Amino acid sequence: MHLDPYILFLFGVGVIVLLVAWLPLALRDLPLSLAILCVAAGVVIFQTGGLAFRPNPLRYSTLTEKLTELVVLVSLMGAGLKIDRRIGWKAWSSSWRLISITMPLTIAGVTLMGVYGLGLGLASALLLGAVLAPTDPVLASDVQVGPPRSGEDGEARFALTSEAGLNDGFAFPFVHLAVALAATGGVLKPDLLSHWLAMDVLWRIAAGIAVGWAVGKGLGWITFKAPRARLSGTGDGLVALGATLFAYAVAEAAHGYGFLAVFVSALTLRATERDHQFHDAMHDFAEQVERLLMMLVLVLLGGAVANGLLAPLTWKDAALGLALLFVVRPLAGWIGLMGTPHSRRERALVSFLGIRGIGSFYYLAWGLNHGQFDGWARLWAITGFIVLCSILIHGVTATPLMKTIDTWRRGSGRAGPKDQTADDGRGDRADEDAQPSKEAAAPLADFAAPQVPDVLSDDDGRVRPM
């Protein structure tokens, strides 16, 4: 019996929607993630050959770029809305360090390995570094803070949430630089560098932040403070999607970074009326749309794997991917967070859980669509391999690691959103953090077992619910 492809499509969409609602609950206490099951389902579905469509990011490069772009956009709005902590230099110290130290170190490490280890040209290696540096806001949702108004969930969760929200905007300058280098054959000319610094770094970042703030302020007034017909009165979370698309479009029209604008607009919108219940409705809607789109993309990723996405991969490419996940990112994260008043366990967790995902696919698709790079298939194979490894490794370890750190926080007296008193957003520090001689210890060694430190700092560094 031959079924109409349209009927099959409706069947598949229906199954995905039902799984979006059910799987997070079913997997809550298991060392598995929704992403793992989606990729596996995609491999099975497309391996059978029953569908005429063959997912291939090289063949459908524009579609890949636009679809992954939409997923990241919705995820950034949700990430911004869920952060309870007020923006501040001290309160967000881990975020600034991850952006200004950890990300450049990761890009530099991958670029060097690409040039000297894989024999890539400078432009291709830099593109690979920029693509793989950001922590993904979509796949990292399981290790982020809870919904709006739920209180702080610890420094590790906050750092991963804020990093995922910010780094998508700050990685884009290096993608632009890689595209510019590809146009000059890898030659870094002075005029190219000056234009990159002025336009792609200063202007685009400033425009993204300014537009995001302005849009967030305007939407905040319309939503919560307008004298008549406030958007919050609708109770409709669809407002989150409208705010996302509006902020992104305005920022892109101003030649700013739209990703950054969306995240900043979400933070600004949240700050307008921080404790309003309407934030819950917007966040929940954004999260549902994000999960639906994420599952679609990951099923297609599984289909791409079934159709030869990893065929060009060499053992050197695989070694680079594993080195990024187990050496480069953890080491760069550990260096970036050295000297912060957070526990070593929290720093180790943040350093290890630098999840790579859908954002990397977007940046690679965008870069390849806007520049002339050699070895497109190999770049896709490397990125696909790293994302798959991240989905598997972090998907299996994230739940037990987060349970371990949460148990340790509760046992040490740090946990509990109702018992948070500090205004600067810092986590308190055990005496073990004051021992510089132990800084070089392997970060993951701290997760052997949750232990209560012998001495706790007098300074309670948890954040009061806003």
Side-chain angles (χ1 to χ4, degrees):
M1 182 179 67
H2 178 72
L3 289 178
D4 188 337
Y6 176 68
I7 299 300
L8 287 175
F9 171 77
L10 293 180
F11 174 79
V13 172
V15 170
I16 289 177
V17 171
L18 291 174
L19 291 177
V20 163
W22 176 70
L23 279 177
L25 180 64
L27 300 175
R28 183 174 53 189
D29 298 321
L30 298 177
L32 290 173
S33 69
L34 184 61
I36 295 175
L37 297 184
C38 290
V39 174
V43 172
V44 172
I45 292 171
F46 289 95
Q47 188 69 48
T48 60
L51 298 177
F53 176 68
R54 295 289 183 270
N56 187 336
L58 282 80
R59 182 177 179 182
Y60 302 102
S61 58
T62 300
L63 177 61
T64 301
E65 177 187 337
K66 300 306 179 184
L67 181 57
T68 53
E69 178 183 42
L70 181 59
V71 184
V72 175
L73 283 174
V74 176
S75 177
L76 289 172
M77 176 57 68
L81 289 174
K82 71 171 65 172
I83 293 180
D84 290 335
R85 188 178 300 192
R86 297 181 185 273
I87 297 179
W89 185 251
K90 289 184 177 180
W92 286 52
S93 61
S94 57
S95 314
W96 312 136
R97 285 172 168 268
L98 289 170
I99 296 301
S100 62
I101 300 175
T102 298
M103 176 179 287
L105 286 176
T106 304
I107 293 175
V110 175
T111 301
L112 290 174
M113 289 192 297
V115 172
Y116 297 104
L118 305 183
L120 298 175
L122 178 59
S124 296
L126 179 59
L127 177 63
L128 196 61
V131 162
L132 298 174
T135 295
D136 189 62
V138 183
L139 299 184
S141 60
D142 289 342
V143 298
Q144 293 179 1
V145 297
R149 305 184 305 121
S150 61
E152 277 296 333
D153 291 317
E155 189 60 32
R157 291 185 184 275
F158 168 76
L160 290 168
T161 306
S162 57
E163 180 197 9
L166 289 170
N167 63 17
D168 276 299
F170 286 93
F172 226 145
F174 297 96
V175 179
H176 279 278
L177 181 59
V179 171
L181 281 174
T184 63
V187 180
L188 188 61
K189 299 179 180 179
D191 57 337
L192 182 153
L193 185 59
S194 61
H195 178 272
W196 175 72
L197 287 172
M199 183 65 187
D200 298 326
V201 178
L202 297 178
W203 173 258
R204 293 186 188 275
I205 290 178
I209 294 174
V211 168
W213 179 84
V215 170
K217 278 291 185 181
L219 289 175
W221 184 83
I222 296 172
T223 303
F224 301 111
K225 299 183 181 298
R228 297 178 60 186
R230 298 176 184 176
L231 281 174
S232 59
T234 66
D236 194 344
L238 187 63
V239 171
L241 183 58
T244 299
L245 301 179
F246 182 77
Y248 183 75
V250 174
E252 289 294 315
H255 301 288
Y257 289 127
F259 284 172
L260 190 57
V262 169
F263 185 66
V264 172
S265 69
L267 293 174
T268 308
L269 179 61
R270 176 70 195 280
T272 304
E273 192 69 36
R274 187 168 295 275
D275 294 324
H276 202 286
Q277 292 182 351
F278 189 56
H279 292 300
D280 297 346
M282 290 191 293
H283 169 266
D284 292 345
F285 180 83
E287 188 177 58
Q288 289 172 345
V289 174
E290 174 194 337
R291 286 210 308 266
L292 179 62
L293 293 174
M294 179 199 74
M295 291 184 69
L296 175 61
V297 170
L298 293 179
V299 168
L300 293 175
L301 171 60
V305 171
N307 286 282
L309 176 68
L310 303 183
L313 194 74
T314 67
W315 70 268
K316 288 185 178 181
D317 300 336
L320 179 143
L322 296 177
L324 168 66
L325 296 175
F326 288 106
V327 180
V328 177
R329 160 64 193 202
L331 184 59
W334 189 255
I335 293 173
L337 294 175
M338 286 179 65
T340 57
H342 310 310
S343 74
R344 298 178 68 216
R345 291 177 175 86
E346 288 171 325
R347 278 180 273 165
L349 192 67
V350 173
S351 300
F352 175 66
L353 289 177
I355 299 173
R356 272 55 187 155
I358 295 176
S360 295
F361 291 145
Y362 167 74
Y363 283 120
L364 182 58
W366 190 95
L368 295 179
N369 286 340
H370 289 79
Q372 298 296 323
F373 296 88
D374 296 328
W376 284 33
R378 188 182 182 193
L379 293 176
W380 270 111
I382 295 172
T383 304
F385 173 78
I386 292 173
V387 171
L388 287 171
C389 288
S390 181
I391 289 174
L392 181 61
I393 296 168
H394 294 131
V396 170
T397 60
T399 297
L401 286 179
M402 295 310 298
K403 284 185 176 181
T404 298
I405 199 70
D406 289 341
T407 300
W408 174 77
R409 287 177 58 247
R410 287 192 295 268
S412 65
R414 300 186 188 190
K418 297 182 180 179
D419 187 35
Q420 297 164 339
T421 57
D423 289 326
D424 62 358
R426 296 174 299 163
D428 52 353
R429 177 171 70 173
D431 279 358
E432 62 180 358
D433 290 302
Q435 301 178 17
S437 62
K438 296 183 180 180
E439 288 290 340
L444 295 181
D446 291 305
F447 288 96
Q451 298 178 355
V452 180
D454 296 331
V455 182
L456 287 177
S457 164
D458 291 333
D459 177 21
D460 187 338
R462 294 176 295 278
V463 178
R464 183 188 299 111
M466 303 297 181

